[in-house]
Amino acid sequence: MHAFINNLINSDFSYMLFIAIILLSTKFLGLVTMKFRMPQVVGALIAGFILGPAVLNLVRDTDLISSLAEIGVIVLMFCAGLETDLNEMKKTGAASFVIALIGVLLPLAGGFGVAYFANSDPDLILHDVFIGIILTATSVSITVETLKELGKLNSHAGNAILGAAIIDDVLGIIGLTIVMSLADSSVSILIVLLKIIAFFIFAVIACYLFRKLYSKWTSRTEKDLRRYSITAFAFCLLLSFCAEFFFGVADITGAYIAGLAIAKTSKTEYVTKKFDTLSYLLLSPIFFASIGLKVNFSGMTSTIWIFAIVLTLVAIITKILGCGLGAKLFRFTTKESLQIGIGMISRGEVALIVASKGEKMGLMPPQYFGPVVLMVIVTTIITPVLLKIVFKDRRAGGGSAAFGKLA
Amino acid sequence: MHAFINNLINSDFSYMLFIAIILLSTKFLGLVTMKFRMPQVVGALIAGFILGPAVLNLVRDTDLISSLAEIGVIVLMFCAGLETDLNEMKKTGAASFVIALIGVLLPLAGGFGVAYFANSDPDLILHDVFIGIILTATSVSITVETLKELGKLNSHAGNAILGAAIIDDVLGIIGLTIVMSLADSSVSILIVLLKIIAFFIFAVIACYLFRKLYSKWTSRTEKDLRRYSITAFAFCLLLSFCAEFFFGVADITGAYIAGLAIAKTSKTEYVTKKFDTLSYLLLSPIFFASIGLKVNFSGMTSTIWIFAIVLTLVAIITKILGCGLGAKLFRFTTKESLQIGIGMISRGEVALIVASKGEKMGLMPPQYFGPVVLMVIVTTIITPVLLKIVFKDRRAGGGSAAFGKLA
């Protein structure tokens, strides 16, 4: 039986089996979590967790699955951009900046503190700072998905979260770069900062030009609309690629900005629908499941478990306090401040990417990888659950989420 | 400049660039070929050819591209199944069998003949038979796509082609297995034949049960339809996986049969539309481009070029004659017989897979790989062009093709 399953999951064709299992289990558990009044994303994450090495060890996180997950998160962020109201966002711009800033500084300090107490070697202070850096980066995709399911993506708090998450991303990159440049003389802080500024200038110009041409082109005809979706997708992928390749900025930041560029044109609704289909039918189930697939608890000692639990708690509390405080300073109500703080809790693939980069550079001991993954999983699962609670109001949920309208 | 491009296409992020380039170029060249009254598929194939090692060497046929292409052809065949009228197909069943049979025997003899004349060593007669085997397998996906663009998929000739292509696939597998079993004592003809029969019994039972449950389930509600598409996709992938893994039958045969199982339910139209989107927005451009990406002419001598040209001509002529003759025997009109013969010309991924299997087993000299690829490309490009000509009638084209309705 065991040998049979091994054959099954190691054949050249197992990717079809993997995708089929992911599609069925994420949808099924999504419907189950929905029955318990939790967002379907939670079910999808749990599905990945159960299928992966932590429980059943049935589905492998192969290169194909990772790549599809990466394309999936790009499409997810692109859709978030498409649905963003830029005018509303401008209103929350300054607030978003302060929310992001305090929401980065507090987790940085918190992560440093936890690592400092766990680590007795004073020579390794940079390692402790690195753990702090890992805690800074919010992964907004889960929140976006949940807010879409709840129909709250374009609320006042929703826009503040989106804006803050973008800025948070940039602050995280700056933080990571500073630590890496202290550890490695080949990375210069100044150059990295200049690159980030250059990216935003480049993105604004590219988006301005593209939007002008695209609006003109798409307003010409109502027939043969497929070319509009294809061109939009290509633009999104190109901007994501440029962000990573030329400027060292996260691809999802590029994808989100590309979405902003195409928001509110005459064909935006049509294009958004098509990307929703692409997302829910293949890419986003794989993305959410792949996060769960990364969890592996084998080889974690009890000390490491305690470290993991404390780190996770600190990650949650510092983000709520930091972002909530930032929101409060800008006269958001207490309820909204809590919504914003909770919306920023989840750490996803960014934290994992940062951690694996740090491990490669010798900035993070390998035994800390387990705690980081646990922190990512817990914050990711807890975010939609808490969001649902704090966004609760009279109206039943709506919106067009990648995991389906609520029945 | 050269170093810069090398960096560009060898980075960790180049897959975004590749996909963007493929999407833009296949669509652009598709529109160009449409201007010249050729199907858009031809443009997509040429795009791959230009991007690949044969011309620009800009886009690599990476593992991700190959996997996406494979998922793409599965979805394409699944859609073909969804749109097939089984009652119409039953009418053409016996005809399809005879068309497939003669359409396999003639190319087999022709390929053998060409290889026999090119090859002076009488001990290598099995190698010559193998070249014949490569010529047998029709790749129906290009034809399906073209017939969809022309709105002729459900015509009398269209159904005969689809049926014949399925049977042709099975005959090709049997042929391949016979040659492989003659070369390698570990493969037994009898077992392979039994496996093929077992697959069809398994598929019929699985499809019967699934269709019963699915029809009942999907007729319950008009809300939250996403689960129906997801379940349909999972069933398609599982049947494709089972075909390959347990029975050694091509995955696309499984996908097509899965499509047949879900054809003509109350939600079929909705599901088909969703898969059309998934296909045109990501998967099918990659599939068609990836065929062109495989072409590489470096290292082909003039003798090999002559062999390639003769092989290609024989591949085209024997298929038209063989299938056309089969159709004629079943009282199709001369025009329809020609349509059917031409619809069966294209050899695609199946021929390439068979050839690379043969090369691995020592049944085909490596220098013959170039000619086989050329034969695949030419037959693939020529099929939609010729189909367009022979299907020409008063009515302008219609249908919902993966490459867009004609403007």
Side-chain angles (χ1 to χ4, degrees):
Chain A
M1 188 63 193
H2 195 75
F4 173 72
I5 289 178
N6 266 343
N7 278 338
L8 218 57
I9 62 183
N10 288 320
S11 89
D12 282 351
F13 315 106
S14 47
Y15 69 94
M16 299 178 224
L17 186 67
F18 289 171
I19 296 175
I21 293 174
I22 287 174
L23 288 174
L24 287 177
S25 61
T26 52
K27 190 71 206 170
F28 177 74
L29 284 172
L31 293 174
V32 170
T33 50
M34 211 176 72
K35 286 267 177 226
F36 289 96
R37 304 190 172 282
M38 286 193 292
Q40 296 200 40
V41 189
V42 179
L45 289 168
I46 295 173
F49 176 77
I50 294 175
L51 294 174
V55 185
L56 293 179
N57 202 13
L58 196 65
V59 172
R60 299 279 157 83
D61 189 15
T62 59
D63 286 348
L64 177 65
I65 298 289
S66 317
S67 300
L68 286 176
E70 189 66 21
I71 300 173
V73 67
I74 287 172
V75 170
L76 223 50
M77 292 309 292
F78 181 58
C79 288
L82 285 174
E83 292 179 36
T84 300
D85 186 337
L86 220 84
N87 291 324
E88 178 66 27
M89 191 106 146
K90 275 180 199 154
K91 283 186 217 157
T92 60
S96 290
F97 183 78
V98 175
I99 292 167
L101 188 65
I102 309 182
V104 158
L105 292 177
L106 244 62
L108 179 61
F112 171 78
V114 175
Y116 186 78
F117 278 109
N119 180 1
S120 49
D121 190 342
D123 283 348
L124 295 175
I125 242 174
L126 214 55
H127 288 205
D128 305 336
V129 177
F130 191 79
I131 298 292
I133 296 287
I134 291 174
L135 292 199
T136 62
T138 288
S139 167
V140 78
S141 51
I142 306 287
T143 298
V144 165
E145 190 55 31
T146 311
L147 292 178
K148 273 169 88 178
E149 269 195 66
L150 299 172
K152 298 290 185 192
L153 191 58
N154 248 325
S155 67
H156 198 42
N159 277 298
I161 291 172
L162 268 175
I166 294 291
I167 298 162
D168 166 295
D169 201 28
V170 174
L171 294 176
I173 295 165
I174 297 174
L176 174 66
T177 318
I178 293 172
V179 176
M180 275 168 57
S181 66
L182 290 173
D184 169 11
S185 55
S186 80
V187 180
S188 142
I189 303 176
L190 186 70
I191 287 178
V192 169
L193 286 176
L194 286 176
K195 273 175 131 180
I196 292 171
I197 295 166
F199 170 70
F200 280 95
I201 296 172
F202 166 79
V204 167
I205 296 173
C207 287
Y208 176 79
L209 293 176
F210 182 77
R211 187 186 171 83
K212 240 187 142 98
L213 291 170
Y214 191 78
S215 299
K216 207 170 164 185
W217 182 47
T218 56
S219 60
R220 279 197 326 202
T221 174
E222 291 301 319
K223 288 191 303 183
D224 198 9
L225 301 175
R226 290 174 176 210
R227 60 186 79 174
Y228 302 143
S229 321
I230 289 173
T231 310
F233 195 17
F235 179 68
C236 158
L237 289 167
L238 286 176
L239 204 63
S240 307
F241 173 76
C242 289
E244 287 274 10
F245 186 77
F246 295 110
F247 304 99
V249 173
D251 49 6
I252 53 175
T253 304
Y256 178 74
I257 296 175
L260 287 180
I262 307 174
K264 309 242 164 212
T265 75
S266 63
K267 299 292 182 298
T268 302
E269 212 189 310
Y270 171 84
V271 170
T272 307
K273 262 190 197 164
K274 297 300 156 192
F275 283 98
D276 263 357
T277 302
L278 180 65
S279 189
Y280 87 77
L281 197 49
L282 179 67
L283 299 176
S284 75
I286 292 178
F287 168 64
F288 293 114
S290 79
I291 297 177
L293 286 179
K294 290 190 207 300
V295 188
N296 193 347
F297 293 132
S298 63
M300 270 174 71
T301 65
S302 60
T303 324
I304 297 285
W305 269 105
I306 292 168
F307 177 75
I309 292 165
V310 175
L311 188 74
T312 305
L313 286 174
V314 167
I316 295 169
I317 294 164
T318 53
K319 209 64 169 182
I320 298 179
L321 285 181
C323 295
L325 182 64
K328 256 305 202 195
L329 288 177
F330 275 79
R331 295 164 189 265
F332 280 84
T333 65
T334 306
K335 190 181 177 187
E336 280 174 332
S337 303
L338 191 64
Q339 288 172 346
I340 292 169
I342 285 171
M344 301 286 287
I345 291 175
S346 76
R347 320 293 207 283
E349 65 298 339
V350 187
L352 295 173
I353 292 167
V354 170
S356 61
K357 249 186 199 158
E359 201 194 341
K360 253 184 236 157
M361 291 191 64
L363 275 168
M364 194 186 77
Q367 69 267 28
Y368 282 2
F369 206 78
V372 169
V373 172
L374 185 87
M375 181 276 291
V376 168
I377 293 289
V378 173
T379 56
T380 303
I381 288 184
I382 216 174
T383 301
V385 176
L386 294 178
L387 269 180
K388 176 89 189 249
I389 295 169
V390 292
F391 268 102
K392 211 172 195 172
D393 62 6
R394 298 130 298 255
R395 215 165 57 84
S400 68
F403 270 90
K405 296 200 177 88
L406 309 179
Chain B
M1 188 63 194
H2 194 76
F4 173 73
I5 290 177
N6 265 342
N7 278 338
L8 219 59
I9 61 182
N10 287 319
S11 89
D12 282 351
F13 315 107
S14 47
Y15 68 93
M16 299 178 224
L17 186 66
F18 289 171
I19 296 174
I21 293 175
I22 287 174
L23 288 175
L24 288 177
S25 60
T26 52
K27 190 70 204 172
F28 177 74
L29 284 173
L31 293 174
V32 170
T33 50
M34 211 175 72
K35 286 266 178 228
F36 288 96
R37 304 190 173 282
M38 285 193 291
Q40 296 200 41
V41 188
V42 179
L45 290 168
I46 294 173
F49 176 77
I50 293 175
L51 294 173
V55 185
L56 294 178
N57 202 14
L58 197 66
V59 172
R60 299 280 157 83
D61 189 17
T62 59
D63 286 349
L64 177 65
I65 299 288
S66 316
S67 300
L68 286 176
E70 188 67 22
I71 300 173
V73 67
I74 287 172
V75 170
L76 223 49
M77 292 308 293
F78 181 57
C79 287
L82 286 173
E83 293 179 34
T84 300
D85 186 337
L86 220 84
N87 292 324
E88 179 65 28
M89 191 105 145
K90 274 180 199 153
K91 283 186 217 157
T92 60
S96 290
F97 183 78
V98 174
I99 292 167
L101 187 65
I102 308 182
V104 157
L105 292 178
L106 243 62
L108 179 61
F112 172 78
V114 176
Y116 187 77
F117 278 109
N119 181 359
S120 50
D121 190 343
D123 282 349
L124 295 174
I125 243 174
L126 216 54
H127 289 205
D128 305 335
V129 176
F130 191 78
I131 298 291
I133 295 287
I134 292 173
L135 293 199
T136 61
T138 288
S139 166
V140 78
S141 51
I142 307 286
T143 298
V144 165
E145 192 54 31
T146 311
L147 292 178
K148 273 168 89 179
E149 271 195 64
L150 299 172
K152 299 290 185 192
L153 191 57
N154 247 325
S155 66
H156 197 43
N159 277 299
I161 291 172
L162 269 174
I166 295 291
I167 298 162
D168 165 297
D169 201 29
V170 174
L171 294 177
I173 295 165
I174 296 173
L176 175 66
T177 318
I178 292 172
V179 176
M180 276 167 57
S181 65
L182 290 173
D184 169 11
S185 54
S186 80
V187 181
S188 141
I189 304 176
L190 186 70
I191 287 177
V192 169
L193 286 176
L194 285 176
K195 273 173 129 181
I196 293 171
I197 295 167
F199 170 70
F200 281 94
I201 295 172
F202 165 79
V204 167
I205 295 172
C207 287
Y208 175 80
L209 293 176
F210 183 78
R211 186 185 173 85
K212 239 186 144 99
L213 290 170
Y214 190 79
S215 301
K216 207 171 166 184
W217 183 48
T218 55
S219 60
R220 279 197 328 201
T221 173
E222 291 301 319
K223 289 190 300 182
D224 197 10
L225 300 175
R226 289 174 177 212
R227 61 187 78 172
Y228 302 143
S229 321
I230 290 173
T231 310
F233 195 16
F235 179 68
C236 159
L237 288 167
L238 286 176
L239 204 62
S240 306
F241 173 77
C242 290
E244 286 275 9
F245 186 77
F246 295 110
F247 304 99
V249 173
D251 48 7
I252 53 176
T253 304
Y256 178 75
I257 295 175
L260 287 181
I262 306 173
K264 308 242 163 211
T265 75
S266 63
K267 298 293 182 296
T268 302
E269 211 187 312
Y270 171 83
V271 169
T272 307
K273 262 190 196 163
K274 297 300 156 193
F275 283 97
D276 262 356
T277 302
L278 181 65
S279 188
Y280 87 78
L281 198 49
L282 179 67
L283 299 176
S284 75
I286 293 178
F287 168 63
F288 292 115
S290 79
I291 297 177
L293 286 179
K294 290 189 208 298
V295 188
N296 194 348
F297 293 133
S298 63
M300 269 173 70
T301 65
S302 59
T303 324
I304 298 285
W305 271 105
I306 293 169
F307 177 75
I309 293 165
V310 175
L311 188 73
T312 305
L313 287 174
V314 167
I316 295 168
I317 294 165
T318 52
K319 209 64 168 184
I320 298 180
L321 285 181
C323 296
L325 182 66
K328 256 308 203 190
L329 289 176
F330 276 80
R331 294 164 190 266
F332 280 84
T333 65
T334 306
K335 191 181 176 187
E336 281 174 332
S337 303
L338 191 63
Q339 289 171 346
I340 292 169
I342 285 171
M344 301 286 287
I345 291 175
S346 76
R347 321 294 208 279
E349 65 297 338
V350 187
L352 295 172
I353 292 167
V354 170
S356 61
K357 249 186 199 159
E359 201 195 340
K360 253 183 237 158
M361 290 191 67
L363 274 169
M364 194 186 77
Q367 70 267 28
Y368 283 1
F369 207 76
V372 169
V373 172
L374 185 87
M375 181 275 292
V376 168
I377 293 290
V378 173
T379 55
T380 304
I381 288 185
I382 217 174
T383 302
V385 177
L386 294 178
L387 270 180
K388 178 88 190 254
I389 296 169
V390 293
F391 268 104
K392 211 172 196 174
D393 62 6
R394 298 130 299 255
R395 216 165 56 85
S400 66
F403 271 89
K405 295 199 177 89
L406 310 179

